[in-house]
Amino acid sequence: AKARECIATSGVDVLVAPFSWSELMFFPALLQGTGIPFLVSEHSHPERINSERWNRLEHEACLSAADSIHVLSERFLPLYPDVLRARITPIPNTAALDIPHTPRLHTPNASIKRLLAAGRFIDDIKQYSLLIRAFAGVAAKFPDWRLTLCGDGPDKKSYQKLIAELGLEQRVSLPGMVDDMAAYYQKSELFCMPSRYEGFGLAALEAQHYGLPVVGFAECTGVNEIIVHGENGLLAESMTVEALAESLAVLMADADLRSRMAARGMELLARYSRERVFDAWEGLLAVYTRARGDARLSFVALEAP
């Protein structure tokens, strides 16, 4: 009651909860009777929220109390119950990154060419074991290529073991967590995001910002709209080692194609411009600012146990 009184007297027009895990269950009780619109902003894939961070029953119960639900991709809508979809607004993250846009340091004729990936070493989600195996399948055909996996996590040792089993110790490097990702983007020719799912593949946008085409899976929501197949990268048809290796080989073999896709990737970043994303957010907040006093939880009374 004390927290509710504090928020109700603060003059806030809309309360936005930019997360989605079990602590969110507190908010509907907090806002009931205040008239303040409640907006939940979900920054992850619904499957991940339900399996890793919460559970489906409580998650959907909490969302049913929200006036509006923000998600990062329109392709997430089918993953929510029909009753919630009318309240869902997809707005992506912005590609207007606060990182320097400096020229890449390599040349197409460099003696060593680099395939880059970056993220948490959690194989159930990021699937770097598929990438390592796919690279092993094309390594003999492309002896001048190296694979670099930046990041850390619980599956690092299994990746090190797999690299050794495949005899790739001289071809695959794991530099760990790096402070200067820009240097790795600048020295690479190609980026791969082999994830099973993503909330929003921000690393793919970073790679495109540095002029790299990107390879991912057509089935991977959160990546399959950032990558426009055949324009700024390639989407492997199936989530298999063979399909990924085939897509990687197409771009590893063709420097001109990589250059064309890199240029197109820079153009397509306009879809995620700061102006476009911020305008969408301002429009959404304006709608619910006008709804103050008539929010979904305005007249909800909690029954005594």
Side-chain angles (χ1 to χ4, degrees):
K2 186 175 181 180
R4 184 185 303 120
E5 180 183 2
C6 181
I7 287 182
T9 59
S10 68
V12 66
D13 293 299
V14 181
L15 191 144
V16 181
F19 65 96
S20 199
W21 50 86
S22 56
E23 286 83 351
L24 194 63
M25 287 294 287
F26 177 65
F27 280 74
L30 181 67
L31 293 177
Q32 66 93 19
T34 65
I36 298 172
F38 175 39
L39 192 158
V40 176
S41 180
E42 305 230 279
H43 287 257
S44 189
H45 193 293
E47 179 182 339
R48 183 181 174 208
I49 294 170
N50 290 329
S51 63
E52 296 180 22
R53 297 189 170 191
W54 210 349
N55 63 72
R56 185 178 300 277
L57 180 63
E58 290 185 354
H59 179 209
E60 293 178 358
C62 187
L63 293 181
S64 70
D67 293 278
S68 181
I69 304 160
H70 158 252
V71 297
L72 291 171
S73 171
E74 185 174 350
R75 301 186 188 194
F76 290 155
L77 267 64
L79 303 177
Y80 290 88
D82 292 345
V83 69
L84 296 179
R85 290 181 199 167
R87 280 181 266 155
I88 296 178
T89 301
I91 303 175
N93 283 335
T94 177
L97 307 169
D98 293 324
I99 51 180
H101 191 175
T102 52
R104 291 159 66 193
L105 304 180
H106 70 279
T107 64
N109 297 319
S111 58
I112 297 297
K113 299 177 177 63
R114 301 184 187 278
L115 168 61
L116 177 66
R120 293 172 303 133
F121 287 180
I122 300 179
D123 204 60
D124 183 54
I125 301 171
K126 299 298 185 179
Q127 302 192 132
Y128 292 133
S129 62
L130 288 182
L131 175 55
I132 294 168
R133 292 184 185 278
F135 183 76
V138 300
K141 185 177 179 181
F142 300 99
D144 54 342
W145 281 78
R146 303 291 184 269
L147 170 61
T148 301
L149 299 176
C150 296
D152 204 348
D155 287 316
K156 181 175 182 178
K157 288 185 178 179
S158 68
Y159 293 157
Q160 291 172 326
K161 181 179 178 182
L162 178 60
I163 290 166
E165 289 175 352
L166 295 171
L168 294 174
E169 295 97 325
Q170 304 305 313
R171 302 286 301 276
V172 180
S173 60
L174 304 177
M177 299 293 291
V178 299
D179 295 325
D180 186 12
M181 271 304 299
Y184 285 86
Y185 287 124
Q186 290 167 345
K187 292 185 288 187
S188 299
E189 276 69 32
L190 180 60
F191 189 82
C192 184
M193 182 170 276
S195 305
R196 182 165 63 87
Y197 61 81
E198 290 281 345
F200 187 81
L202 188 58
L205 292 185
E206 290 182 359
Q208 291 171 12
H209 178 91
Y210 283 100
L212 301 180
V214 183
V215 174
F217 288 119
E219 300 173 53
C220 181
T221 307
V223 171
N224 59 10
E225 62 185 280
I226 293 174
I227 300 174
V228 180
H229 182 70
E231 294 193 39
N232 60 357
L234 295 176
L235 291 167
E237 292 183 358
S238 61
M239 208 168 277
T240 63
V241 170
E242 294 76 16
L244 183 58
E246 182 178 350
S247 294
L248 290 173
V250 169
L251 283 165
M252 291 166 72
D254 194 333
D256 289 339
L257 180 59
R258 294 197 302 271
S259 295
R260 291 196 300 272
M261 287 189 172
R264 181 60 176 149
M266 297 290 290
E267 296 172 355
L268 288 172
L269 288 177
R271 297 176 297 163
Y272 308 106
S273 70
R274 186 167 287 176
E275 293 76 16
R276 180 175 291 187
V277 171
F278 288 2
D279 284 352
W281 265 107
E282 288 189 13
L284 178 63
L285 293 173
V287 168
Y288 289 96
T289 296
R290 293 192 293 270
R292 197 185 195 288
D294 192 28
R296 183 172 295 272
L297 294 167
S298 297
F299 312 107
V300 173
L302 297 179
E303 295 181 5

